Amino acid sequence: MQVKASPATILPSVDALLRRPEIASAVLEYGRSLVVQELRDALDRLRATLGEGAAVADRDAAAVVVERQALVRLQDWAAPPLRKIFNLSGTVLHTNLGRAPLPPEAIAAMAAASDACNLEYDLQTGGRGERDDHVIGLICRLTGAEDAVVVNNNAAAVLLALNSLANRRDVLVSRGELVEIGGAFRIPDVMARAGARRREVGTTNRTHLSDFAGAIGPRTAAIMKVHASNYAISGFTAEVPEPELAALARERGIPFLNDLGSGSLVDLERYGLPHEPTPMEALRAGADLVTFSGDKLLGGPQAGLVVGKAALIAKLRKNPLKRALRVDKLIMAALAAVLRLYLDPARLAARLPSLRRLTRPEAEIRAAAERVAAALSARCAARVAVSIVSCASQIGSGSRPVDLLPSAAVALRVPGGRALAGLAKAFRQLPIPVIGRLHDGALLFDLRCLEDEAGFISQLDRLARD
Ligand SMILES: *Cc1c(COP(=O)(O)O)cnc(C)c1O
């Protein structure tokens, strides 16, 4: 029979709890102060439930409850919030899943820079250096640009470019290019925050050179083009070719900005992939400034790059916003390491993880799917129907969603939608969470991005046990 005792008599003291062996080892692991705090919180919670009429058999039982709760909370505090996952979603550069995977060269460079380093220090002269100088030479060599600046992401690059060149003045942009990238990046909003007045020209589906020419006035600061990253306008359409826009801008003495978004540093068609505009092409087509991301197709850390005319880049560099948007030493180190890989194009697809995954041959993916399907069947065939299906991977991160890469997936089917959601959750709860996608009544694992196959398979036993 359970005795209803008053909280005062049944609750163990913190000192008594600290003498329990598991709590004592928790003190060694997490430190005394955090453990004591969690014990007090757990005691408070138990006291509250006792007050509401809940019953605990005796002081020992109460100690067990408090200990268990405190240990769970302590483990939560200790767990790193960002964890490695298997991205089998089928989207290679997935913004929610951390975009580009970094190569070991970038990790090593970040480790080297993590202590004191020559971030803004010139080792030759012993004087002050510029942080962007670590990558400007590389960027200019790879893109053919005169000069470059690096900021926190491409949104920052666009913000900095517009604010530096068009604060309180007009920027012409086609109505077909006022895009939303997702994650709250909308071109009209960024223009407004940059202080630029948006002057829309043309229509959603058709914009002509004459629309731009007619809109240029004394307050026009720039013409802006935005790459249609994540959508396609088809049917009765017209856009102005970049060289014509560039010629118009030059004739009227205003800069022409081209926001590429992704901006691959290599011609993806060479690898049999859909074409994505490159900064080199955009500069050759006459852009004065080109903006693009570091962690999209470039395959590096989160960063925004602006390349182009030296006189304009100088204005960006002088803008106080540059200081607020600058990158830190770890990003700078990683970016330099990734850019260096581009100096050896012959080995790039093998060394840069994002490109390696994008160019992985379908036959190789299918062979991996067969091995993984066999491993999955061996462990959970009783509950789950396992098959191999053809699927299409997306490049992701603002590459055109209509450009799909043929791939292969392992499809898991269970009777009932609830069960399928439960299955997806079980995979998410593995030590290295597995993220697939639900499609057509199945949980799909697109194997394009699975490089550590042994690691994936070795944790499946845990799934079967649970
Ligand atoms: C992705 C993208 C951006 C924003 O880049 P972030 O690096 O995500 O800040 C801006 N413009 C275009 C066209 C894009 O595709």
Side-chain angles (χ1 to χ4, degrees):
M1 203 191 86
Q2 272 187 356
V3 186
K4 227 171 170 189
S6 79
T9 58
I10 207 165
L11 289 177
S13 70
V14 170
D15 281 338
L17 288 163
L18 283 168
R19 284 194 294 273
R20 295 174 70 87
E22 291 221 41
I23 300 289
S25 56
V27 168
L28 294 179
E29 193 172 344
Y30 307 109
R32 187 184 158 91
S33 129
L34 182 63
V35 172
V36 168
Q37 226 168 333
E38 285 304 336
L39 289 173
R40 289 209 178 109
D41 287 355
L43 282 167
D44 286 347
R45 284 194 297 275
L46 184 59
R47 188 176 295 115
T49 60
L50 292 176
E52 285 159 14
V56 185
D58 51 29
R59 188 174 294 200
D60 253 5
V64 169
V65 169
V66 169
E67 173 180 88
R68 206 176 45 224
Q69 284 192 8
L71 289 175
V72 167
R73 297 278 278 250
L74 287 165
Q75 272 163 17
D76 282 350
W77 287 120
L82 292 181
R83 293 165 59 193
K84 175 190 158 74
I85 58 145
F86 286 115
N87 170 14
L88 307 188
S89 68
T91 299
V92 179
L93 299 167
H94 197 304
T95 296
N96 302 148
L97 303 180
R99 289 197 183 160
L102 291 176
E105 289 84 351
I107 312 297
M110 284 194 278
S114 64
D115 205 315
C117 72
N118 59 326
L119 180 62
E120 291 186 348
Y121 183 81
D122 187 329
L123 291 172
Q124 293 293 325
T125 65
R128 194 181 181 288
E130 288 293 327
R131 74 175 58 204
D132 285 10
D133 283 354
H134 298 290
V135 290
I136 288 176
L138 273 165
I139 296 171
C140 292
R141 188 187 170 104
L142 293 168
T143 61
E146 289 176 10
D147 204 352
V149 288
V150 181
V151 285
N152 183 42
N153 54 27
N154 188 43
V158 173
L159 181 76
L160 180 65
L162 287 172
N163 181 262
S164 305
L165 305 182
N167 193 16
R168 287 189 238 160
R169 293 170 67 207
D170 291 356
V171 173
L172 310 188
V173 59
S174 163
R175 290 199 167 88
E177 297 177 355
L178 295 170
V179 311
E180 173 180 312
I181 306 299
F185 179 90
R186 294 172 139 197
I187 287 289
D189 297 344
V190 173
M191 290 179 96
R193 287 291 167 156
R197 275 192 272 243
R198 181 178 79 251
R199 184 81 202 269
E200 300 177 10
V201 304
T203 62
T204 304
N205 56 329
R206 291 171 71 83
T207 301
H208 307 282
L209 187 64
S210 56
D211 295 326
F212 282 99
I216 296 179
R219 294 190 347 176
T220 308
I223 294 179
M224 183 175 186
K225 180 172 179 58
V226 184
H227 179 52
S229 289
N230 50 4
Y231 67 105
I233 294 184
S234 63
F236 186 55
T237 65
E239 66 173 326
V240 187
E242 287 169 37
E244 291 181 23
L245 266 184
L248 174 67
R250 205 174 322 121
E251 196 185 296
R252 304 293 185 91
I254 52 176
F256 171 39
L257 320 179
N258 191 346
D259 177 27
L260 287 186
S262 208
S264 173
L265 280 185
V266 287
D267 180 2
L268 291 183
E269 276 170 312
R270 277 197 2 212
Y271 299 95
L273 293 168
H275 181 76
E276 267 287 325
T278 66
M280 302 72 102
E281 285 168 0
L283 291 170
R284 274 202 303 274
D288 296 303
L289 286 185
V290 179
T291 49
F292 56 103
S293 285
D295 58 349
K296 292 184 178 174
L297 280 169
L298 194 150
Q302 181 189 299
L305 287 74
V306 191
V307 299
K309 293 272 159 58
L312 299 178
I313 294 288
K315 290 189 182 175
L316 271 59
R317 201 170 278 142
K318 281 213 298 272
N319 188 331
L321 265 185
K322 167 67 169 68
R323 171 65 174 72
L325 304 173
R326 72 185 186 184
V327 300
D328 86 317
K329 60 181 179 178
L330 300 184
I331 298 294
M332 194 53 87
L335 182 62
V338 168
L339 290 171
R340 273 202 302 276
L341 296 183
Y342 280 87
L343 295 176
D344 184 3
R347 287 194 291 164
L348 185 67
R351 295 165 82 193
L352 189 65
S354 52
L355 192 59
R356 184 167 67 229
R357 294 173 188 182
L358 287 169
T359 56
R360 197 166 175 204
E362 190 188 349
E364 199 184 303
I365 302 171
R366 189 163 288 272
E370 274 158 20
R371 291 188 296 271
V372 166
L376 276 164
S377 297
R379 283 157 181 93
C380 41
R383 294 172 289 153
V384 181
V386 182
S387 62
I388 296 170
V389 297
S390 295
C391 68
S393 316
Q394 288 199 17
I395 297 174
S397 269
S399 297
R400 302 195 325 151
V402 288
D403 289 328
L404 299 169
L405 313 175
S407 187
V410 174
L412 304 183
R413 285 170 210 277
V414 279
R418 273 271 253 0
L420 196 62
L423 186 66
K425 186 170 182 195
F427 276 96
R428 286 199 304 273
Q429 287 176 336
L430 288 170
I432 303 175
V434 179
I435 314 294
R437 75 171 186 274
L438 296 174
H439 176 73
D440 208 10
L443 174 59
L444 291 191
F445 293 142
D446 183 333
L447 290 202
R448 171 176 297 280
C449 294
L450 181 61
E451 295 196 323
D452 178 15
E453 210 176 296
F456 176 87
I457 290 174
S458 73
Q459 61 172 3
L460 293 180
D461 279 333
R462 209 175 269 263
L463 195 69
R465 266 208 313 275
D466 300 340

